[in-house]
Amino acid sequence: SNFIDDLRVYVRGGTGGMGFPNLGGEGGRGGDVWFVARERTTLKSIKEKYPQKRFVAGTGANSSVKALKGEKGKDCEVHVPMGISVLDDDGKQIGELNAAGERFLAARGGLGGCLATNFLPCKGQRRAVHLDLKLIADVGLVGFPNAGKSSLLSKISHAKPEIANYAFTTIQPELGKIMYADFKQISVADLPGLIEGAHANKGMGHKFLKHVERTKQLLLVVDISGFQLSVKTPFRTAFETILLLTKELELYKEELVTKPALLAINKMDLPCAKDNLDELTAQLQNPQDFLHLLEEEMIPANTLEFREVIPVSTYTGEGIEELKTCIRKSIDEEAERMNEEYRKKKLQLLQTSR
């Protein structure tokens, strides 16, 4: 795959410079290794540009008669994409970079030779770290394989994902942008299809689910006629599909089901779609009345509350414009809510300080 969302690299801070014991001179500190978030940067480009995946900062200058205080070694800056979590080799998160310009000190340079070190230089920090990418998007498309997510992304944005009639067409995330008449842009991520057991890392598993964490809102895409992955797996109705998707999100990380969510009911051009939609609408209005029909392990602890349910057909174009309007409305409402919360917190701080 051309898409890389995890990269292990070696980083080493520079060694300090030698001190000058006769005159009390101090060597320069070793340079530091920094990760700096930049737009239009990918982990793939880092791997291609630095195939050895080693980043070492410069050595500090030695103290001398001409310069008793040695200069600091040259820093090493590594440009990384936004949405990076920095993990140590044990999987513990030690930093993250979410916005352009944010910096993370990956390896500190060693002290230069001075009185405290008996004028001998110290080596810089050295370690292997993982750069773990989680896509940042306004909206994340969530659905089982063949629900029509890739087709939907191509209809609402300028993205051109690969589309075919078989499971796991999408094997790497695709990003598109919805362009509105007033030049507003909303980013949408089409992520590899979930399957039952994804929370336990079956199929694309965690490789998919980790990207959902950074999306602001969810857009569930469900086939109105139901879904069956293979002849060996059970058939699921549209209602069961929604509950199973919710269950997988919940088992992976409970906070995911608290995100604002929309529901797109796809393939409304199929025969019996209208009857199926009427049945699904009744089930969604009173989900508790139908849970007894399902196996206990399929039922999520909390059902998703959808802000809008939009029937669409990527084949005929039905409902596509309405969906784009609903996405815009949901994003704007959530932004206003966040701004209101921020204003209230600011006001409380002002009142407290007075």
Side-chain angles (χ1 to χ4, degrees):
S1 169
N2 288 326
F3 181 79
I4 298 175
D5 55 10
D6 181 79
L7 192 66
R8 185 175 185 267
V9 299
Y10 174 79
V11 291
R12 191 180 81 202
T15 304
M18 287 289 293
F20 201 137
N22 293 347
L23 299 175
E26 295 183 0
R29 187 186 187 95
D32 303 317
V33 180
W34 292 87
F35 294 142
V36 184
R38 286 281 186 273
E39 293 179 352
R40 291 186 286 277
T41 302
T42 63
L43 291 182
K44 182 172 182 284
S45 65
I46 296 172
K47 186 178 180 182
E48 289 175 346
K49 191 174 181 180
Y50 307 99
Q52 293 184 331
K53 296 175 285 184
R54 290 172 57 88
F55 301 97
V56 180
T59 303
N62 295 333
S63 173
S64 65
V65 176
K66 292 182 179 179
L68 288 178
K69 178 71 174 174
E71 286 189 7
K72 184 177 184 289
K74 187 177 180 183
D75 287 347
C76 173
E77 286 196 355
V78 185
H79 293 170
V80 299
M82 296 178 291
I84 285 288
S85 294
V86 186
L87 312 176
D88 63 18
D89 251 355
D90 295 326
K92 180 184 175 184
Q93 183 171 316
I94 54 178
E96 61 180 3
L97 300 155
N98 292 323
E102 286 188 2
R103 300 165 65 84
F104 173 75
L105 180 59
R108 189 181 293 278
L111 286 173
C114 58
L115 188 61
T117 65
N118 202 22
F119 296 97
L120 295 173
C122 297
K123 291 182 177 180
Q125 184 182 12
R126 60 184 69 195
R127 57 183 172 182
V129 296
H130 289 263
L131 300 177
D132 188 47
L133 176 66
K134 295 175 184 174
L135 288 179
I136 298 177
D138 296 312
V139 180
L141 301 184
V142 177
F144 285 142
N146 272 10
K149 300 188 306 300
S150 297
S151 300
L152 188 62
L153 183 68
S154 68
K155 286 286 184 182
I156 62 177
S157 75
H158 295 292
K160 292 181 173 59
E162 181 185 349
I163 299 167
N165 189 30
Y166 53 84
F168 295 121
T169 308
T170 307
I171 56 172
Q172 62 188 48
E174 294 277 357
L175 272 174
K177 284 193 175 179
I178 307 175
M179 312 289 285
Y180 292 91
D182 61 354
F183 303 107
K184 167 87 172 180
Q185 296 182 21
I186 291 177
S187 57
V188 182
D190 171 25
L191 306 162
L194 279 171
I195 62 168
E196 292 178 48
H199 70 277
N201 217 12
K202 290 184 181 178
M204 295 294 183
H206 293 177
K207 197 172 180 66
F208 161 83
L209 286 163
K210 73 173 188 177
H211 292 299
V212 182
E213 292 181 53
R214 293 283 177 94
T215 57
K216 295 176 185 175
Q217 301 198 8
L218 305 179
L219 173 58
L220 268 67
V221 185
V222 173
D223 186 334
I224 188 59
S225 58
F227 170 71
Q228 186 173 19
L229 183 66
S230 71
V231 290
K232 296 180 181 178
T233 58
F235 172 81
R236 303 299 189 190
T237 65
F239 180 63
E240 290 173 335
T241 300
I242 293 166
L243 292 179
L244 277 168
L245 289 170
T246 306
K247 184 77 173 178
E248 291 300 331
L249 294 172
E250 184 180 76
L251 288 171
Y252 176 72
K253 194 165 281 190
E254 284 186 29
E255 306 92 84
L256 294 181
V257 296
T258 64
K259 287 178 180 283
L262 301 172
L263 174 63
I265 308 296
N266 193 22
K267 305 189 182 180
M268 287 302 297
D269 53 283
L270 295 177
C272 301
K274 183 68 172 64
D275 293 337
N276 290 342
L277 180 62
D278 292 339
E279 182 183 356
L280 177 61
T281 303
Q283 292 169 326
L284 290 174
Q285 284 173 349
N286 300 289
Q288 300 301 324
D289 296 345
F290 299 92
L291 296 183
H292 68 278
L293 301 172
L294 310 173
E295 300 98 321
E296 193 173 335
E297 60 270 16
M298 285 178 59
I299 304 171
N302 300 288
T303 52
L304 275 169
E305 296 289 333
F306 297 110
R307 293 187 170 188
E308 299 280 354
V309 177
I310 310 101
V312 299
S313 168
T314 54
Y315 181 72
T316 64
E318 175 193 343
I320 297 298
E321 288 305 314
E322 183 188 349
L323 177 60
K324 288 165 69 173
T325 302
C326 289
I327 291 171
R328 171 71 181 270
K329 180 185 174 188
S330 183
I331 291 287
D332 288 348
E333 285 177 353
E334 190 62 18
E336 182 56 37
R337 188 187 69 80
M338 297 291 284
N339 287 338
E340 186 60 32
E341 283 186 8
Y342 177 76
R343 285 194 289 267
K344 284 180 180 177
K345 284 181 182 177
K346 278 285 191 182
L347 189 59
Q348 286 175 350
L349 284 171
L350 280 171
Q351 290 170 343
T352 308
S353 62
R354 283 172 184 169

